[in-house]
Amino acid sequence: MKAAVITFPGSNCDDDCVYALEEVCELSVDRIWHKHEVDLSPYSLIVLPGGFSYGDYLRCGSLAAFSPIMNLVRAASDRGQLILGICNGFQILCEANLLPGALVPNSSLRFICKDVTLKVENNLNPWLNAFKVGDVLTLPIAHGDGRYVIGDQAQAAKAQKILSYCDAKGALVDGANPNGSFDFVAGMVNEKGNVFGLMPHPERAADLRSLHGRKLFESIINHLREKASA
Amino acid sequence: MKARVHIFLKDSVFDPQGNTIAQMLRRTGFEKVHGVRMGKVIDVETTHQVAAEALSEVKKMCEKILTNPVIESYRVELMES
């Protein structure tokens, strides 16, 4: 099983993603520069990492959504390959219309860098199957533009939300929504479920300090193994 | 031909910058300020000679790249070059 991590100009979590996938998940990983239009079909997992692609110019993720590699990412999505967007990667996937909605500046207008608690809303997917519905996990966030807005697709959003911001007990209450996201959305999948975007950083919690991020990656591996043996 | 694009967050999307500016205006004596929305302006210069063509092209740019229709609305104004 091979994974690809795509680097855009301004990506800064690509090394962390490679580390988490190689050292923790023991996957073989190729790094791909956004201008290299390589065949993505051999990859079981394609990761769009966090960072500040194109300096967040115009809107976060908007310019990266037009990078040459994105046509190939779109084709990979159509083929049903797994695509994971973390933080800026989530913003890029939304701007590329591979996920519904958009991410705008936090309600507080502050950059927020801290651990948050998250509730698993749905585990029948490649991304969170190692958890139980209702599980509360802790992952770090680090973003200025993490407020999820859905526009007129609110109904679709409810079905595709798999991860919510919550308090320590798993309740979606005032004060548990760090950035003002619609419906406490922290992570969304597309309709088919093969594309997942989330603002928290699982790759920063896959090792010594916290293992919830590792468990997220283990979910992906579980899914790929099951698919391979089916 | 030059076009000026005005971009605003849709009314349904909370604009924290505009909100903070409105609060500050009211606090500094402009009590009648009811709301502020802050947007951005992008000037696009093209080699189009015909106004209708320039307008239609800039609108296409808005739909494709310059704005995100999920969160933003826009208005294009043609200007004298």
Side-chain angles (χ1 to χ4, degrees):
Chain A
M1 285 190 288
K2 266 181 14 168
V5 173
I6 295 169
T7 301
F8 299 91
S11 297
N12 65 8
C13 299
D14 39 352
D15 277 359
D16 307 53
C17 287
V18 170
Y19 174 81
L21 295 169
E22 274 183 349
E23 303 296 324
V24 180
C25 305
E26 297 178 354
L27 281 179
S28 132
V29 182
D30 286 345
R31 296 157 181 269
I32 294 171
W33 179 238
H34 74 119
K35 278 188 177 168
H36 293 164
E37 296 178 68
V38 299
D39 178 16
L40 293 178
S41 53
Y43 297 103
S44 308
L45 170 70
I46 299 160
V47 181
L48 277 59
F52 301 87
S53 57
Y54 291 90
D56 281 352
Y57 297 167
L58 192 63
R59 296 175 306 279
C60 293
S62 63
L63 300 182
F66 290 93
S67 272
I69 194 73
M70 289 307 292
N71 288 327
L72 298 156
V73 171
R74 190 168 282 111
S77 162
D78 292 342
R79 286 192 296 265
Q81 286 171 258
L82 296 188
I83 298 165
L84 171 65
I86 301 167
C87 199
N88 188 228
F90 184 14
Q91 295 163 342
I92 296 169
L93 290 172
C94 286
E95 282 284 345
N97 288 321
L98 289 169
L99 287 173
L103 293 139
V104 296
N106 300 339
S107 297
S108 64
L109 292 176
R110 295 204 173 109
F111 188 95
I112 307 170
C113 184
K114 65 172 187 183
D115 283 347
V116 294
T117 40
L118 301 151
K119 182 186 170 200
V120 175
E121 299 283 359
N122 187 333
N123 65 351
L124 301 174
N125 52 61
W127 312 104
L128 299 174
N129 56 58
F131 298 95
K132 292 196 285 289
V133 171
D135 273 0
V136 175
L137 52 150
T138 303
L139 291 177
I141 56 168
H143 60 246
D145 292 58
R147 176 164 50 113
Y148 186 78
V149 175
I150 185 65
D152 49 13
Q153 297 166 276
Q155 280 315 107
K158 297 234 179 226
Q160 289 165 232
K161 178 177 82 162
I162 65 171
L163 203 56
S164 298
Y165 299 108
C166 66
D167 70 5
K169 290 179 177 157
L172 312 191
V173 291
D174 283 348
N177 190 341
N179 48 32
S181 284
F182 168 78
D183 201 29
F184 296 75
V185 167
M188 290 287 286
V189 291
N190 63 346
E191 259 179 72
K192 280 196 296 185
N194 64 312
V195 180
F196 177 37
L198 77 169
M199 288 312 294
H201 286 272
E203 81 284 10
R204 295 187 190 178
D207 199 322
L208 302 170
R209 198 170 60 94
S210 156
L211 296 176
H212 288 148
R214 179 183 187 140
K215 211 164 161 182
L216 189 150
F217 289 114
E218 281 168 2
S219 299
I220 302 173
I221 308 280
N222 288 345
H223 171 84
L224 293 173
R225 289 219 174 101
E226 267 173 39
K227 217 172 93 179
S229 64
Chain B
M1 201 139 246
K2 190 168 164 181
R4 177 160 288 176
V5 182
H6 302 260
I7 303 168
F8 285 91
L9 283 173
K10 284 182 177 170
D11 289 343
S12 57
V13 179
F14 174 57
D15 171 12
Q17 287 193 86
N19 200 47
T20 306
I21 296 165
Q23 279 175 18
M24 187 55 77
L25 286 170
R26 283 193 290 268
R27 254 187 6 223
T28 44
F30 301 97
E31 299 92 354
K32 293 205 167 171
V33 171
H34 179 58
V36 172
R37 305 288 292 176
M38 203 178 117
K40 51 190 165 190
V41 173
I42 301 177
D43 283 352
V44 182
E45 288 189 54
T46 69
T47 55
H48 286 287
Q49 302 293 323
V50 182
E53 282 175 17
L55 190 63
S56 128
E57 281 295 291
V58 174
K59 281 187 176 168
K60 274 188 218 161
M61 295 175 206
C62 288
E63 299 290 334
K64 190 171 180 194
I65 300 179
L66 296 181
T67 77
N68 181 337
V70 176
I71 48 170
E72 293 169 325
S73 60
Y74 69 90
R75 177 167 59 81
V76 181
E77 173 192 1
L78 282 182
M79 301 167 78
E80 300 295 324
S81 298

